Each structure stands twice: as C-alpha cells, then as structure tokens.
C-alpha cells in the first residue's frame, strides 16, 4: 500500500515538473491584455510605476531605480524628492519604506500643460493613493503627493 502511495505521489510530482500542472493552471485563468501609447501621459505614468516597482523589488543597488528617476522625473522634482526622502526616511516615489505588491493608475484629467493621475499602491490589505502630475510637452513627472497641483 505504501509503495502505491509513493508511486502516485511520484507521478504527481513528475507531472507538475513536466508542466502538466502549469498547463491546467494557465488554461483556468482569464487572458488579459495591456495596451498603451508612448505619447499618452497616463500610459507613461503606469509604465514608470510598473518598471520602478519592479526595479526596487528586484534590485539592491538602485542603479535602475535611479536611471528611471532620471528619465521620468524632472530635474527639479528629483531634487525635491531627495529632500523629502532625507526627511521622511522612505522612498519618495512610493511614499513608503517597502515595496507595494500591486499598483493601479487611474486618469484624473488633463488641464493646461499637465495630466494628473491617481496611483493606488497596495500592500496586502492596505492601500495608498498618490496623485501624480506629468507635463504634457516633456512627458515628465513634476509632482507626487497626496493632492494634485490643480485639477479638481
């Protein structure tokens, strides 16, 4: 009886190792698609947060994190963020000391020379909403905070 149990268990482990378990799991899920445009500010904010969170989550040195900040944030805002981080002892982009497990970006509107979006960062049962403002011409973030700079 024990040898039959071991045989069945070994067969199950082998099936998972060969990918049969992964196939069943993948086919049970819903297929998703994500789209965007490099000229769309909400897409760019979502791209930034997705890549930034991946970089902070996966990399200890911070090189990619810093490169992303250099590419997506205005120089003046990078300086403002550094001062905020020094004072708060937290990551200024995430407004937290740890990395969220999920993120969502919602368009809040475009007015004048900038676009505003709400970024919802989630850690398990807790979430935080940040308002992110990006210029329309240079497509660079110039503000992250609890409130935006002017869209009601």
């Amino acid at each position: 009886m024990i040898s039959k149990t071991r045989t069945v268990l070994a067969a199950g482990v082998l099936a998972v190792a060969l990918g049969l378990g992964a196939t069943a799991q993948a086919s049970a899920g819903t297929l998703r698609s994500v789209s965007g445009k490099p000229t769309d500010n909400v897409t760019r904010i979502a791209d930034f947060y997705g890549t930034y969170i991946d970089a902070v989550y996966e990399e200890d040195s911070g090189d990619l994190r810093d490169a992303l900040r250099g590419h997506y944030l205005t120089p003046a805002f990078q300086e403002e963020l550094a001062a905020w981080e020094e004072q708060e002892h937290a990551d200024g982009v995430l407004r937290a000391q740890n990395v969220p497990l999920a993120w969502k970006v919602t368009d809040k509107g475009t007015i004048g020379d900038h676009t505003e979006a709400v970024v919802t960062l989630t850690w398990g049962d807790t979430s935080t909403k940040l308002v992110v403002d990006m210029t329309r011409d240079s497509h660079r973030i110039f503000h992250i905070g609890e409130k935006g700079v002017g869209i009601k």
Side-chain angles (χ1 to χ4, degrees), residues 48-91:
F48 170 66
Y49 267 88
T51 307
Y52 187 86
I53 289 168
D54 287 349
V56 174
Y57 183 78
E58 296 173 0
E59 186 181 81
D60 290 331
S61 68
D63 293 339
L64 179 55
R65 179 196 79 135
D66 294 343
L68 289 166
R69 286 177 175 221
H71 181 75
Y72 282 95
L73 309 179
T74 64
F77 185 59
Q78 290 178 59
E79 290 179 22
E80 183 181 322
L81 211 53
W84 185 94
E85 290 172 334
E86 181 72 26
Q87 180 179 340
E88 301 295 329
H89 305 287
D91 185 297

Side-chain angles (χ1 to χ4, degrees), residues 12-138:
V13 170
L14 182 60
V16 171
L18 293 174
L20 298 176
T23 303
Q25 182 181 13
S27 65
T30 303
L31 299 178
R32 302 180 312 142
S33 64
V34 177
S35 62
K37 298 184 291 188
T39 57
D40 178 68
N41 278 352
V42 175
T43 298
R44 291 180 68 87
I45 292 168
D47 290 346
F48 170 66
Y49 267 88
T51 307
Y52 187 86
I53 289 168
D54 287 349
V56 174
Y57 183 78
E58 296 173 0
E59 186 181 81
D60 290 331
S61 68
D63 293 339
L64 179 55
R65 179 196 79 135
D66 294 343
L68 289 166
R69 286 177 175 221
H71 181 75
Y72 282 95
L73 309 179
T74 64
F77 185 59
Q78 290 178 59
E79 290 179 22
E80 183 181 322
L81 211 53
W84 185 94
E85 290 172 334
E86 181 72 26
Q87 180 179 340
E88 301 295 329
H89 305 287
D91 185 297
V93 171
L94 303 174
R95 300 291 197 217
Q97 293 178 332
N98 54 6
V99 183
L101 301 174
W103 54 269
K104 176 180 162 184
V105 177
T106 306
D107 190 355
K108 193 171 177 197
T110 299
I111 188 168
D113 62 350
H114 73 281
T115 299
E116 206 164 84
V118 174
V119 176
T120 305
L121 304 174
T122 304
W123 295 263
D125 295 339
T126 306
S127 65
T128 299
K129 291 185 187 262
L130 301 173
V131 180
V132 178
D133 292 281
M134 178 177 272
T135 62
R136 290 180 65 193
D137 57 354
S138 68

